[in-house]
């Protein structure tokens, strides 16, 4: 994702969520590309912090996820003309402090742009959270736990849906009704989806 984040809300959230497992890089750092390459090879979480409207062209293959498969299990990516091992666990986060940046269509097409600019209602929620955290810290902790739980629920549901779509795409149309594994997967996804939706509703009520 590419975060529009002039008030540093997104950076704060990413750093709290990932913690010590996050590698932070700025283009002004010496040998920043070596740190990016190492993060890709080791499957780390990488944050490119305080970028401008233009990103270094050398990163275009990374943004486009232009990986090449070598053998059965090896992925590589070309960065600056050199082949680098690519760990599928690698995750990239990009943050801009600009309040109204204009990115090239190529960048917008390869990145999910998330606007973290604080709105008046969002600011009210943050102030309320700060007050609650001082007066009733256990309530604010409970709220944060529920938010994390709901996020995990949505990730689980998305993975189940992706797995089901993959099974459907690989299934033989002639025998799809006799495919026990596919039918079981459909039932599991349906049951899990209903359970997650119930948990989300309970969390919202809380």
């Amino acid at each position: 994702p590419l975060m529009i984040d002039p008030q540093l809300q997104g950076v704060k959230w990413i750093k709290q969520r990932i913690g010590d497992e996050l590698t932070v890089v700025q283009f002004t750092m010496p040998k920043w590309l070596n740190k990016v390459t190492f993060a890709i090879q080791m499957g780390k979480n990488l944050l490119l912090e305080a970028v401008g409207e233009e990103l270094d062209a050398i990163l275009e293959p990374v943004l486009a996820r232009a990986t090449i498969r070598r053998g059965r299990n090896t992925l590589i990516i070309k960065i600056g003309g050199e082949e680098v091992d690519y760990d599928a666990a690698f995750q990239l986060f990009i943050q801009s402090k600009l309040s109204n940046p204009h990115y090239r269509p190529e960048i917008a097409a390869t990145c999910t742009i998330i606007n973290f600019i604080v709105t008046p209602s969002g600011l009210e929620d943050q102030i309320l959270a700060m007050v609650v955290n001082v007066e009733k810290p256990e309530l604010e902790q409970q709220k944060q736990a529920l938010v994390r739980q709901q996020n995990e629920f949505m990730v689980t549901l998305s993975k189940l849906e992706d797995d089901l779509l993959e099974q459907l795409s690989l299934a033989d149309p002639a025998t799809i009704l006799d495919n026990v594994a596919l039918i079981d997967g459909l039932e599991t996804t349906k049951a899990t989806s209903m359970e997650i939706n119930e948990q989300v509703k309970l969390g919202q009520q809380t």
Side-chain angles (χ1 to χ4, degrees):
L2 170 54
M3 301 179 290
I4 310 303
D5 187 31
Q7 288 118 344
L8 309 182
Q9 300 288 320
V11 163
K12 180 180 178 182
W13 177 75
I14 288 292
K15 290 180 177 179
Q16 285 180 341
R17 179 173 177 266
I18 299 178
D20 295 336
E21 298 298 318
L22 183 66
T23 300
V24 180
V25 171
Q26 294 187 9
F27 291 141
T28 55
M29 291 179 174
K31 297 183 178 180
W32 64 266
L33 186 57
N34 291 344
K35 297 178 181 179
V36 171
T37 301
F38 181 75
I40 292 172
Q41 292 173 321
M42 302 305 294
K44 291 183 173 293
N45 298 294
L46 174 67
L47 170 63
L48 292 180
E49 196 173 39
V51 303
E53 290 189 336
E54 291 294 331
L55 300 181
D56 197 301
I58 204 169
L59 293 175
E60 288 182 1
V62 181
L63 297 179
R65 301 175 186 85
T67 57
I68 305 168
R69 185 172 294 277
R70 289 282 171 82
R72 295 183 62 184
N73 301 314
T74 303
L75 292 174
I76 64 166
I77 192 167
K78 289 187 177 181
I79 301 178
E82 295 186 6
E83 293 187 350
V84 174
D85 289 337
Y86 185 95
D87 191 312
F90 169 72
Q91 285 190 303
L92 174 63
F93 304 90
I94 306 172
Q95 180 253 357
S96 173
K97 293 181 180 179
L98 302 176
S99 58
N100 189 29
H102 297 282
Y103 290 103
R104 290 182 288 113
E106 295 86 350
I107 294 178
T110 54
C111 298
T112 301
I113 298 179
I114 303 174
N115 193 338
F116 274 93
I117 294 177
V118 177
T119 62
S121 62
L123 186 59
E124 289 178 6
D125 290 341
Q126 290 186 38
I127 294 173
L128 179 60
M130 293 172 64
V131 172
V132 171
N133 195 37
V134 172
E135 297 185 353
K136 294 185 177 180
E138 70 285 352
L139 188 59
E140 178 61 19
Q141 290 172 6
Q142 182 184 7
K143 177 190 171 185
Q144 293 179 5
L146 285 170
V147 169
R148 286 194 297 270
Q149 186 184 51
Q150 289 186 29
N151 289 336
E152 291 169 1
F153 284 155
M154 301 312 294
V155 169
T156 300
L157 184 57
S158 177
K159 185 177 184 305
L160 285 171
E161 290 173 347
D162 290 344
D163 290 345
L164 182 59
L165 288 173
E166 183 179 3
Q167 291 181 49
L168 284 169
S169 66
L170 297 174
D172 183 355
T175 60
I176 193 169
L177 295 179
D178 299 322
N179 191 326
V180 177
L182 180 60
I183 294 173
D184 287 345
L186 180 60
E187 291 296 327
T188 300
T189 301
K190 181 180 178 181
T192 305
S193 176
M194 292 175 64
E195 181 181 350
I196 288 175
N197 286 332
E198 286 299 320
Q199 293 293 336
V200 169
K201 288 179 182 178
L202 288 173
Q204 290 173 343
Q205 291 172 2
T206 304

